[in-house]
Amino acid sequence: MKFNTVALTLATAGTLVSAQHNHQHRHHHKRNPDTEVVTVAGPTVTTYVLDGKVISLDEVCKGIANGSLQWASGDAPDACSSTTTSASSSTTSATATPSLEAAAEFIEVASKHTSSSSTSTSSAKTSSTSVYASASASASASSSSSSSSATGIDQDFPDGELSCDSFPSEYGAVALDYLGLGGWSGIQYVSIVDEIVDSIVTAVSGDSCVSGAMCSYACPAGYQKSQWPSAQGSTGQSVGGIECKNGKLHLTNTALSKKLCIEGVGGVYVKNSITEDVAVCRTDYPGTESETIPLALSANSETKPLTCPNGETYYKWENKTTSAQYYVNPKGVSTETGCQWGNGSEAIGNWAPINLGVGASDGTWLSIFQNSPTTTEKLDFNVKIEGDNLSGSCKYEDGTFYSESGSNDSGCTVEVLSGDATYVFY
């Protein structure tokens, strides 16, 4: 999930801002010979903010039509069928305020081709076909298995001392045994040329963290991984985790932290008020970008922190601020089942109906949106954002998204102006 902002100006009263995103991620993955997963562009969720308050597209278009709103310098988004694109001398450039957008998703298609890993060798770094294996059915552990608990969350990691065949749960990392990757949330076998990751092969269940691999990991609720290398994918792929080099585990981002797990900005929570457990799954990003980072919420009002990355210090994608994306599974689905790659036969995992977007960049921004275009399935419970001081309202109820400006079938966003905010399942 990335931020890409486009500013607009209001000719007479204040500042209007539009935030948009649409980007494809491309990867090279191991896969089963009968399944290929192809990247497709993710949805764009656009939020318009006028003097710190979210307003509707109708209000934007009416303002443009009557001349009270004008686009700032640069290309105007194609938001309204008729827009005024010239700016008068009285308008001033606005500072863009970002909203949260959906990351690119994956769809499964039949394939008879064999698995391969391609490299980009030209100066243009052209991309190759991406493939991905479904790990949900092939994981060696059953859905009843559980993740091991972590200790030592505040201890510095002993750089270059631990063997790559040991999982560092005593330094804050949470082992995800059910994925069949030795506890790791994802493993990427990379080839680095001129400080650029030229090819990536993503591990499947049964593979291990060996020399030449970037090995990613989960952290406890309220924490997120701190490690990813400066070398990133040549065609926009993200790479994350600690590095296995000469049989030992090495930190990849000591400038950010010498600890494996760090907190976000805080102040964001998720509460499960329904009578069944719920699995919320964060995208392992930067990294494989699969939704393998689990957050289990027990029934009847269990509340846990939902990590909100600090856009100033956390991972940048092509110098753009990034945020966190969470998948919300239907009620009763365990994290062991829901927080891994799905095959589309059920509305779980990457096919879960609803996403939550959480990030901090010029404010803290929270979104609820449909997992589009992957699925049009509806979640079997409701979600709303409650807070001490929000810019507006945002909820998903009975399959429809609502804000103070109306209803739609795509999503909604609010800014946390002060205090705490909570996603409530009800």
Side-chain angles (χ1 to χ4, degrees):
M1 183 183 298
K2 295 96 180 173
F3 295 116
N4 184 18
T5 58
V6 182
L8 304 91
T9 58
L10 179 62
T12 57
T15 301
L16 175 67
V17 174
S18 165
Q20 301 183 7
H21 165 72
N22 199 322
H23 178 72
Q24 289 188 7
H25 301 299
R26 296 183 176 89
H27 315 269
H28 305 292
H29 298 285
K30 286 188 176 181
R31 62 176 172 86
N32 296 328
D34 295 328
T35 302
E36 179 180 357
V37 179
V38 181
T39 57
V40 295
T44 297
V45 180
T46 302
T47 296
Y48 302 94
V49 180
L50 177 59
D51 293 334
K53 182 177 181 180
V54 177
I55 67 172
S56 69
L57 177 60
D58 287 342
E59 293 172 287
V60 171
C61 295
K62 287 178 183 177
I64 291 172
N66 64 29
S68 62
L69 297 179
Q70 293 181 329
W71 302 107
S73 58
D75 294 334
D78 186 18
C80 307
S81 58
S82 176
T83 62
T84 302
T85 58
S86 61
S88 69
S89 59
S90 63
T91 60
T92 57
S93 296
T95 300
T97 304
S99 67
L100 304 179
E101 313 300 348
E105 302 304 335
F106 300 83
I107 57 174
E108 293 193 353
V109 296
S111 173
K112 296 182 180 179
H113 299 293
T114 57
S115 176
S116 66
S117 173
S118 315
T119 23
S120 303
T121 56
S122 67
S123 59
K125 300 294 183 184
T126 55
S127 63
S128 303
T129 302
S130 302
V131 291
Y132 201 113
S134 171
S136 60
S138 61
S140 58
S142 69
S143 61
S144 62
S145 65
S146 61
S147 303
S148 65
S149 59
T151 59
I153 192 74
D154 293 322
Q155 292 189 41
D156 286 352
F157 181 76
D159 194 18
E161 296 181 17
L162 298 183
S163 172
C164 295
D165 58 12
S166 63
F167 185 82
S169 56
E170 66 273 25
Y171 295 96
V174 177
L176 309 180
D177 300 325
Y178 57 87
L179 292 178
L181 297 173
W184 304 101
S185 59
I187 301 173
Q188 296 170 293
Y189 305 111
V190 301
S191 173
I192 300 177
V193 178
D194 296 331
E195 299 300 317
I196 294 175
V197 177
D198 202 45
S199 69
I200 303 171
V201 174
T202 297
V204 295
S205 182
D207 288 341
S208 57
C209 179
V210 296
S211 291
M214 296 293 175
C215 306
S216 192
Y217 53 92
C219 292
Y223 288 80
Q224 60 196 340
K225 72 180 177 192
S226 65
Q227 299 300 303
W228 56 86
S230 57
Q232 293 289 303
S234 61
T235 57
Q237 316 99 312
S238 71
V239 179
I242 55 180
E243 181 180 9
C244 177
K245 183 168 56 177
N246 298 322
K248 300 293 183 180
L249 295 172
H250 292 262
L251 295 172
T252 53
N253 193 7
T254 56
L256 177 60
S257 180
K258 293 183 179 180
K259 298 175 176 59
L260 293 185
C261 298
I262 58 174
E263 293 181 281
V265 299
V268 181
Y269 301 88
V270 58
K271 177 180 180 180
N272 180 22
S273 296
I274 67 174
T275 57
E276 296 183 60
D277 296 351
V278 176
V280 177
C281 313
R282 180 175 174 172
T283 304
D284 190 4
Y285 182 73
T288 66
E289 303 182 24
S290 299
E291 68 305 326
T292 54
I293 309 301
L295 180 65
L297 290 164
S298 299
N300 300 316
S301 298
E302 181 174 26
T303 300
K304 289 184 177 180
L306 194 66
T307 313
C308 178
N310 184 336
E312 294 299 318
T313 58
Y314 207 63
Y315 176 71
K316 298 287 196 305
W317 179 82
E318 296 186 350
N319 295 318
K320 298 180 178 67
T321 301
T322 64
S323 55
Q325 178 172 305
Y326 297 86
Y327 288 70
V328 182
N329 286 274
K331 58 187 178 184
V333 175
S334 68
T335 53
E336 290 88 343
T337 300
C339 296
Q340 55 180 308
W341 204 259
N343 59 18
S345 62
E346 300 178 78
I348 62 174
N350 54 306
W351 294 83
I354 295 300
N355 296 135
L356 310 179
V358 180
S361 179
D362 295 327
T364 298
W365 297 84
L366 310 180
S367 292
I368 312 170
F369 50 94
Q370 182 70 31
N371 182 14
S372 175
T374 303
T375 181
T376 58
E377 287 286 332
K378 305 300 183 182
L379 193 62
D380 55 2
F381 55 90
N382 303 319
V383 184
K384 62 183 176 181
I385 302 174
E386 295 182 341
D388 299 328
N389 186 14
L390 305 177
S391 64
S393 61
C394 178
K395 70 177 180 179
Y396 172 82
E397 191 167 82
D398 298 329
T400 301
F401 298 89
Y402 296 92
S403 68
E404 73 281 358
S405 58
S407 62
N408 63 78
D409 59 2
S410 58
C412 53
T413 301
V414 294
E415 182 184 6
V416 183
L417 300 177
S418 62
D420 296 341
T422 302
Y423 286 95
V424 179
F425 301 157
Y426 65 102

